[in-house]
Amino acid sequence: AEYMGKGMPHKVYHGKTGTVYNVTQHAVGVKVNKRVNNRLIEKSINVRIEHVRPSKCRQDFLARVKRNDELRKKAKEEGTFVQLRRQPEQPRKAHTVKASGEHAPIFLMPVEYELVA
């Protein structure tokens, strides 16, 4: 086996998000889901703290909650309705494409087939 460095997680776990369940002086125990064929197995790995960083996935949610509370408070004072739910990306607006000058369509003709004997 090659030397991987102290407390370095196996390549399968690089970039994975998990839950810390144990803390020691130099390392943390993390529960991570590992995909094996068609199922997920919860694995417990011990990793040194140099190889772990906090997840940022919740920051956007907390910022949205804070912004929604402010918008709700402002709308309540004004007595208006405000849309707080996220909307999926809507289709783009209709527009006319101008095909003239440099963007004019190029008409291609098929090359006539020649029989070579």
Side-chain angles (χ1 to χ4, degrees):
E2 294 179 16
Y3 175 72
M4 287 180 67
K6 286 189 175 178
M8 187 76 172
H10 187 265
K11 63 183 179 182
V12 171
Y13 304 109
H14 288 199
K16 295 282 185 281
T17 303
T19 310
V20 173
Y21 73 95
N22 186 29
V23 179
T24 62
Q25 285 102 330
H26 304 291
V28 289
V30 184
K31 295 223 183 250
V32 184
N33 288 329
K34 180 181 178 184
R35 185 164 173 238
V36 180
N37 296 333
N38 63 342
R39 63 195 192 278
L40 288 174
I41 299 176
E42 189 179 55
K43 304 283 281 189
S44 302
I45 58 171
N46 291 310
V47 188
R48 280 177 78 102
I49 54 173
E50 301 95 87
H51 309 300
V52 179
R53 63 172 179 225
S55 176
K56 296 178 183 171
C57 64
R58 199 158 164 79
Q59 287 179 347
D60 180 50
F61 170 73
L62 293 173
R64 207 172 71 243
V65 168
K66 191 174 180 182
R67 196 186 84 244
N68 282 355
D69 287 341
E70 291 170 5
L71 289 172
R72 185 182 291 114
K73 192 174 181 181
K74 187 176 177 185
K76 203 166 192 175
E77 288 171 3
E78 297 171 0
T80 58
F81 173 78
V82 64
Q83 177 62 265
L84 298 176
R85 294 181 181 178
R86 292 177 292 172
Q87 295 297 311
E89 191 174 334
Q90 299 297 311
R92 289 177 288 188
K93 299 283 185 223
H95 64 282
T96 307
V97 177
K98 291 183 173 60
S100 61
E102 139 186 9
H103 302 294
I106 301 168
F107 295 100
L108 302 174
M109 296 296 291
V111 178
E112 207 169 304
Y113 181 74
E114 292 179 25
L115 185 65
V116 180

